[in-house]
């Protein structure tokens, strides 16, 4: 890879849509990273803004011919460095392939190009009385291709599952430029290995997704919302455990700890109280009286577990405001981190729901042990927590402490029978930790499959499998 | 494989649980087949009735050492020959590994051994207020391990999805005897490739499943039922298409054609009318008034599409009887086929729901073209149809006609944008057809992954990938 100057990018340009190849260094470098911290970005040879499947094929064929890396990327909203440039490689950006190709009301499916923004798809589907539930925090800016490549989650998952639950079929371009269809658009299908499922969450290490067929739901019912206020995280954790164990089928169950609530209140007025130990935001979109029944049941469980107050509202404006408050966690933390030296590492562990109480207890110990601040929000109904480590990025000691705290949180996730990443992915950030989560057999299977499908190792090298 | 007499099975016996190795030829041969027709069964070297994971490891290690095939099987209720013996190989039967290891009410998961019968699990879960929805026709006799290995479906899938939607994690034994955990028990998790999903539906070609962690649902609401009577299949097909397109969220939508209804009525009295063109059986388990609203909506759509009568009942006895009638299709057809010379080939194509009308039209042409009888029932809500070809198994010309009709039905499925198998699997029966459904790239990926994970080709050779 050291002789990139000899790679004839003009040959590639001749095979691409006009203007798709970018060799301007400043532009290339502006595409070099996603939103992850502590993930180095290499110096790419060139950027290709693909417009067609043929562009993607040309990139893969060229990369195979010259044995150079290909890093596929969409909106670069990822939090693990999976979309970061690799030295001497091609950045293959598919964000411009952004067409909704088909919306099929009878079969409740759609076919989309990878660059379609999640929220844009939701908007387009709403006109047809259909819904695509997965709603990662990046819903307004991330692409379906990226969502599929990382198996994105969100707040809906407690009831509606994650991205993989909606992927029926896809078209991918393999390392050698072969275009192939995986899966099928039908509701059922068991012909052969589930290769579409293998590609979901594969983070660009097996091929590039150029089209996706998604299963859809009928338009969801307008939810009603409750917010429960707790004196501490423990009582909130107990509430989640007991309530979910009761067989509730909520459409949202989100956790925000006290420090995060304070950051939100400093960021904007969403009607949240001050000085709370923790909040739970709950929604039910059950039909008819079912929704209010579910939220009243939540109130009873919260109150019997030490919750200090529970507000239930069927006013859509309240619902929207509370969801906006939850979505404000990320920018509010970013703003707060800015005042503390700019460093913020967002973790993403997922533990069994029954372990949430112990998780909060031991997280407090981590917070106390390291010279950083930890604030946590997350998808409590799934046991998927996002502790954010806030630190002074200009202070080497703090940076080191932050990285240790970040690692301790992942270890805590593993200790409690969970995973190092519930929805953000491995990428570069957690590649060492992937090896700790998997046993020897699973690690070897990863390598065997990667080597079988990408024998030259040109697809997103150093990500996921890296170590 | 021709010198099996030299394979020292006594060495294997020494590594197994006492009594696990069976070398009695009659017993071995009695385990040689599943329920598929036209699938040859080889002569196995020995049968191992595994009781522990160590038994499975011993089988794999021995098979790798001696380069002999391993065919994993459970209750042998499959319909594709995937569990059939291979010459000179080991039959690895895991039906005796039948313990429910854990039921976790808070996390709504369970851990089970592969030999647990689906219905037994349902019964055990009901005591905890939990449900495992997948309900293949074999629900009373098939194992969870087999259900996972074939990604079994059933009647619930239109609302509750298929087996893969419930598999969180599993422990598998690989070809060389390595024991490894795939997936994770948490609600979310994206650490690495989704290898658990790759194993779902892999039909014993990649390894043997020795433990499964399943996601569960809160106990389902008692459904109410409707039966719609139609003068012909076309009006039933139109009804399915229009009704499903309306955003209904039924818990069952089954189709039975006239000839199948006649067979059911000859088999037992389930209260079905005579002389109908087709029936649709519909259930809703929506809460409160929602269920009746859904079924009344069904009535309106059925009547506007030529349905002659629709009966709606909220009497659980009626529901049970109608479901029993649907489940009686298989034995009723078997009985009928017995009177016609004993031959019955059950197909399993799945098409987009919107294509059901055209499917029925072209199926009638196939019925007319070949000198056999075709009777059809299926999971209309999923577009998953089971046309049965009934013929005289003692008449060579009829056998040939039956096989041609069976093939024509699969081709019809592909022509309509569907698949050759919605839920029964590829096994031996459809291995040539798998190659027609997949494109060249997907075929190559299958081979690459198979070779990577089973380099000696000892795991269920000749199945799925066979041709």
């Amino acid at each position: 890879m050291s002789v990139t100057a000899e790679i004839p990018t003009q040959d590639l340009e001749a095979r691409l849509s006009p203007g798709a190849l970018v060799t301007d260094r400043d532009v290339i470098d502006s595409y070099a990273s996603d939103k992850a911290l502590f993930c180095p970005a290499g110096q790419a040879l060139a950027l290709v803004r693909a417009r067609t499947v043929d562009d993607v094929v040309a990139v893969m064929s060229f990369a195979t011919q010259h044995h150079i890396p290909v890093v596929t990327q969409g909106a670069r909203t990822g939090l693990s460095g999976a979309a970061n440039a690799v030295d001497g490689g091609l950045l293959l950006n598919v964000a411009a392939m952004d067409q909704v190709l088909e919306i099929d009301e009878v079969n409740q499916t759609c076919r989309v190009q990878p660059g379609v923004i999640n929220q844009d798809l939701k908007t387009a589907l709403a006109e047809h009385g259909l819904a695509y539930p997965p709603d990662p925090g990046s819903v307004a800016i991330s692409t379906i291709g990226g969502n599929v490549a990382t198996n994105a989650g969100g707040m809906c998952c407690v009831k509606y599952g994650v991205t993989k639950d909606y992927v029926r079929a896809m078209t991918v371009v393999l390392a050698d430029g072969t275009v192939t269809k995986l899966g099928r658009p039908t509701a059922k299908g068991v012909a052969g290995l589930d290769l579409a499922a293998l590609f979901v969450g594969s983070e660009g290490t097996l091929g590039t997704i150029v089209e996706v067929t998604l299963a859809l739901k009928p338009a969801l019912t307008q939810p009603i919302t409750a917010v429960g206020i707790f004196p501490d995280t423990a009582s909130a954790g107990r509430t989640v455990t007991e309530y979910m164990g009761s067989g509730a089928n909520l459409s949202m169950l989100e956790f925000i700890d006290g420090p995060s609530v304070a950051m939100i209140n400093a960021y904007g007025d969403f009607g949240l109280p001050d000085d709370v130990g923790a909040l739970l935001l709950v929604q039910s979109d059950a039909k008819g009286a079912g929704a209010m029944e579910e939220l009243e049941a939540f109130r009873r469980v919260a109150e019997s577990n030490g919750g200090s107050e529970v507000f239930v509202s069927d006013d859509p404006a309240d619902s929207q405001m509370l969801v906006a408050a939850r979505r404000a966690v990320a920018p509010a933390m970013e703003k707060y981190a800015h005042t503390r030296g700019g460093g913020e590492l967002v973790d993403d562990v997922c533990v069994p729901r029954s372990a949430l109480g112990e998780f909060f207890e031991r997280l407090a110990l981590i917070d106390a042990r390291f010279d950083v601040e930890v604030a946590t929000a997350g998808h409590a109904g799934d046991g998927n927590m996002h502790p954010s480590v806030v630190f002074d990025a200009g202070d080497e000691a703090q940076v080191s402490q932050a990285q240790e705290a970040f690692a301790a949180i992942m270890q805590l996730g593993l200790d409690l029978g969970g995973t190092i990443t519930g929805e953000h992915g491995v990428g570069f950030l957690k590649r060492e930790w992937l090896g700790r989560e998997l046993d020897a057999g699973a690690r070897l299977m990863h390598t065997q499959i990667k080597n079988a499908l990408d024998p030259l190792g040109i697809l997103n090298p150093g990500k996921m499998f890296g170590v």
Side-chain angles (χ1 to χ4, degrees), chain A:
Chain A
M1 310 298 167
S2 55
V3 286
T4 54
E6 295 171 19
I7 304 288
T9 51
Q10 66 281 11
D11 292 359
L12 174 59
E13 188 165 25
R15 303 188 216 168
L16 294 172
S17 299
L21 186 77
V22 177
T23 53
D24 180 286
R25 174 55 47 199
D26 289 344
V27 179
I28 295 172
D29 290 346
S30 74
Y31 278 77
S33 301
D34 63 19
K35 288 186 178 293
L37 278 192
F38 294 122
C39 293
Q43 194 165 50
L45 173 69
L47 163 70
V48 174
R49 290 191 283 216
R51 290 178 203 160
T52 65
V53 174
D54 285 345
D55 286 343
V56 177
V57 170
V59 166
M60 292 298 198
S61 304
F62 187 82
T64 286
Q65 185 184 348
H66 296 284
H67 291 213
I68 57 173
V70 176
V71 176
T72 306
Q73 53 177 219
R76 297 181 294 112
T77 60
L79 294 168
S80 72
N84 283 14
V86 170
D87 280 338
L90 297 172
L91 280 177
L92 171 57
N93 194 295
V94 296
M97 296 173 68
D98 63 355
Q99 297 303 299
V100 175
L101 301 170
E102 186 185 10
I103 295 174
D104 181 334
E105 294 181 14
V106 173
N107 295 302
Q108 294 171 358
T109 57
C110 65
R111 279 194 307 124
V112 302
Q113 289 188 314
V116 173
I117 300 293
N118 182 316
Q119 183 59 56
D120 292 347
L121 177 60
K122 286 181 164 62
T123 303
L125 292 172
E127 291 173 28
H128 297 264
L130 293 168
Y132 171 69
D135 58 347
S138 58
V139 60
I141 52 173
S142 64
T143 64
I144 295 295
N147 290 177
V148 173
T150 58
N151 191 16
M155 301 202 285
C156 75
C157 310
V158 65
K159 181 166 184 175
Y160 292 105
V162 295
T163 302
K164 74 171 174 180
D165 299 314
Y166 295 85
V167 176
R168 290 261 177 95
M170 59 176 77
T171 306
V172 301
V173 181
L174 302 175
D176 66 356
T178 299
V179 181
T180 179
K181 292 188 179 188
L182 308 178
R184 48 198 61 76
T186 51
K188 288 176 174 170
V190 293
L193 300 174
D194 194 348
L195 299 180
L198 185 67
F199 263 70
V200 176
S202 63
E203 301 184 2
T205 64
L206 303 180
T208 297
I209 298 164
V210 293
E211 187 182 306
V212 184
T213 300
L214 297 166
L216 306 170
K217 296 272 186 201
L220 306 181
T221 306
Q222 179 77 38
I224 62 173
T225 305
V227 56
I229 298 167
F230 296 85
D232 47 45
T233 57
S235 52
R238 283 195 308 271
T239 298
V240 172
T241 299
E242 183 180 330
Y243 186 51
M244 290 303 294
S246 73
N249 196 18
L250 294 171
S251 55
M252 193 177 101
L253 175 44
E254 295 288 311
F255 169 88
I256 312 177
D257 74 357
S260 304
V261 172
M263 293 177 200
I264 294 169
N265 286 338
Y267 178 73
D269 184 2
F270 299 91
L272 298 186
D274 284 312
D275 297 322
V276 302
L279 291 185
L280 291 176
L281 290 183
V282 180
Q283 287 193 331
S284 172
D285 66 359
K287 286 190 179 162
M292 194 55 86
E293 285 166 17
E294 285 199 331
L295 296 195
E296 287 300 336
F298 170 75
R299 183 205 299 274
R300 288 191 295 276
V301 175
E303 287 175 354
S304 74
N305 280 284
S308 36
E309 282 181 286
V310 177
F311 301 101
V312 178
S313 170
D314 58 1
D315 180 345
D318 289 345
S319 286
Q320 279 170 22
M321 177 106 101
L322 288 167
V323 171
R326 172 63 185 89
R327 292 219 179 269
V329 167
M333 280 188 182
E334 198 178 328
K335 184 183 169 200
Y336 176 79
H338 192 69
T339 68
R340 286 294 186 276
E344 190 201 359
L345 267 170
V346 184
D347 220 324
D348 172 44
V349 293
C350 188
V351 298
R353 288 193 297 255
S354 57
L356 275 177
E358 189 174 352
F359 178 81
F360 292 136
E361 226 168 80
R362 292 171 63 175
L363 188 64
L365 299 178
I366 291 172
D367 187 21
R369 192 167 117 219
F370 297 99
D371 182 26
V372 294
E373 289 176 73
V374 180
T376 301
H379 315 299
D382 303 314
N384 184 197
M385 286 293 129
H386 297 307
S388 275
V389 180
V390 177
F391 57 97
D392 182 348
D395 176 337
E396 260 184 51
Q398 280 245 326
V399 169
S400 164
Q401 288 273 296
Q403 289 177 318
E404 281 184 52
F406 188 74
I409 293 166
M410 282 189 281
Q411 186 62 53
L412 174 56
L414 294 181
D415 290 347
L416 295 176
T419 176
I420 58 166
T421 176
E423 55 183 16
H424 292 174
V426 177
F428 184 91
L429 190 68
K430 297 189 170 180
R431 57 185 198 160
E432 285 182 49
W433 281 88
L434 180 63
R436 294 181 209 187
E437 174 160 338
L438 302 179
D439 63 24
R443 286 197 299 270
L444 182 59
M445 285 175 67
H446 273 78
T447 306
Q448 287 168 331
I449 290 171
K450 170 69 170 170
N451 291 345
L453 300 185
D454 177 23
L456 300 177
I458 60 174
L459 299 180
N460 217 2
K463 315 296 174 60
M464 190 190 287
F465 308 89
V467 181

